[in-house]
Amino acid sequence: MTLAPETTTLRVQLRLAEPNDTAGTAASDDWFAVCDLSVLIPGRGVAALLPDGRQVAVFLDRTGRMYAIDNRDPFSGAAVLSRGLTGSHQGRPFVASPLLKQRFDLASGVCLDDESVRVRTYEVRAH
């Protein structure tokens, strides 16, 4: 017997406003839909293009938590983080760049191998 894949109407959305935005509460239009939730597979990244031309890498971990970071690897300049390997180190989820193997904390964006380097993170939700 063949089962059809589960379908959902939930969309993965990112908050585009800066996290330290001092303009007050974020407006409802600060959220940008990047893909259907069903596209995300635990342990694999998905790249999406933002309205301003930047790329974001979206991840779903095995517990169902979603993360979004800039897709550009700050060490090589290539937009490849969505293709990286995911894992955890001391309870911190990370993605390792497929090029130079630096690990980036998915929650904070800090490089675990050089804490002076970081990538931008985004608030993400399924809505």
Side-chain angles (χ1 to χ4, degrees), residues 14 37 51 56-57 59 81 93 96 100 106 115-116 118:
L14 304 179
L37 180 59
V56 65
F59 298 91
L81 292 181
L100 300 174
L106 289 173
E115 292 189 4
S116 68
R118 71 176 345 150

Side-chain angles (χ1 to χ4, degrees), residues 114-126:
D114 181 349
E115 292 189 4
S116 68
V117 178
R118 71 176 345 150
V119 293
R120 181 177 173 187
T121 60
Y122 298 84
E123 186 178 350
V124 61
R125 71 179 184 185

